Amino acid sequence: HLAPLALYCRGNIECLNQCLVAMIGSRNASNYGIDSAKKLAANLAEAGVGVVSGLATGIDAAAHCGALDGGGTTIGVLGGALNCFYPKENIALAKRMVENDGLVISEFPFNYEPTKFTFPRRNRIISGLCRCVVAIETPASSGTMITVNHAEQQNRTIMAVPGRIDSFRSEGCNRLIRDGAGVVTCAKDILDELGEFIPRAPAGKQREQNAKRSDVQRVASLSDEEKLIWDVLSDEPLYPETIIERT
């Protein structure tokens, strides 16, 4: 658990001075896990909290995307050198993060290729940067649980999103909650845990205006057919047949 000798960075290093939360989970995530990560990260970003993850596929990528959608900054910690990026399909996401005042970092010198040993090693940096680590959909034995172990030894707050009791993807999170981790049902649960460390939120009226402006921007980018679907969607799941019928 030694601190790295150095961190190689690309992007805005000032975002390291924010209140930061790590959001981690399975690469093989379900729609529920992806949606939860995006929504939580977006809401944290809107509250001025930075989101840290490992730029992997699945929950990691969803958390980074959610933070960007919420107008915030996000930090990715790589398991190899900056010029040995993995996975390749997330290169565009990493560029988007940097272009939006985010940061991509690595403790590995240039040309250092990622291996099965470097990813568990980088996980201590993900947890070490943050005041709180949030697990979203993870099997009982996974890289996410390695990060949680690092977080425990670094005296970080550990929280988890509950999942289905019959899903292997949620076994790790449900065990964490059983063993005392904080339960996350919305971003407010995380913000309440952070308390005095989060930046002062905008006044109520300004916050409402920001939220309305964000919704208007999202809807404006939709096609006519997508807007029809948007108008019938609700907080409850809808069958495709129901959406077809209502549109």
Side-chain angles (χ1 to χ4, degrees):
H1 300 282
L2 295 177
L5 295 176
L7 288 176
Y8 299 84
C9 303
R10 181 169 186 180
N12 177 21
I13 62 173
E14 292 300 320
C15 64
L16 289 170
N17 295 324
Q18 297 178 94
C19 178
L20 299 173
V21 169
M23 298 185 66
I24 54 177
S26 175
R27 288 177 171 85
N28 181 28
S30 69
N31 289 336
Y32 165 74
I34 296 293
D35 291 344
S36 297
K38 284 184 176 179
K39 184 174 182 179
L40 289 170
N43 291 342
L44 288 176
E46 289 166 358
V49 175
V51 174
V52 179
S53 200
L55 260 169
T57 55
I59 297 298
D60 287 17
H64 292 306
C65 288
L68 291 170
D69 291 342
T73 55
T74 181
I75 299 171
V77 185
L78 299 181
L82 292 179
N83 67 332
C84 298
F85 193 96
Y86 180 88
K88 300 295 184 185
E89 56 261 43
N90 282 346
I91 289 179
L93 173 58
K95 289 181 178 178
R96 183 185 168 202
M97 291 162 58
V98 170
E99 289 169 356
N100 286 273
D101 285 330
L103 189 65
V104 178
I105 65 178
S106 172
E107 70 172 307
F108 303 105
F110 273 49
N111 300 322
Y112 199 109
E113 294 285 349
T115 70
K116 64 179 181 180
F117 303 108
T118 59
F119 288 101
R121 181 175 165 184
R122 68 91 191 263
N123 288 351
R124 80 194 194 285
I125 299 177
I126 294 176
S127 57
L129 290 174
C130 303
R131 296 192 178 277
C132 177
V133 173
V134 178
I136 306 173
E137 210 171 54
T138 177
S141 178
S142 65
T144 298
M145 300 306 286
I146 293 175
T147 309
V148 168
N149 290 336
H150 287 309
E152 288 177 341
Q153 296 185 33
Q154 295 163 340
N155 294 318
R156 300 308 192 249
T157 299
I158 299 170
M159 305 186 77
V161 175
R164 292 174 53 123
I165 61 174
D166 59 350
S167 171
F168 75 93
R169 290 190 179 98
S170 297
E171 189 175 355
C173 288
N174 291 340
R175 285 190 182 183
L176 287 173
I177 293 170
R178 180 197 65 188
D179 294 339
V183 180
V184 176
T185 60
C186 61
K188 185 177 182 299
D189 294 331
I190 304 171
L191 296 173
D192 287 346
E193 188 67 36
L194 293 172
E196 63 184 282
F197 297 111
I198 62 173
R200 179 172 295 178
K205 183 175 291 187
Q206 182 63 44
R207 185 184 299 179
E208 290 178 9
Q209 291 175 351
N210 291 344
K212 289 179 181 178
R213 189 181 302 115
S214 179
D215 283 342
V216 169
Q217 290 172 345
R218 291 192 185 103
V219 175
S221 67
L222 300 178
S223 68
D224 290 341
E225 287 186 346
E226 289 170 336
K227 287 177 182 176
L228 284 175
I229 297 172
W230 173 274
D231 289 338
V232 303
L233 292 177
S234 66
D235 291 334
E236 295 298 322
L238 294 177
Y239 288 107
E241 293 81 4
T242 305
I243 297 175
I244 291 171
E245 181 182 341
R246 294 183 183 180
T247 56

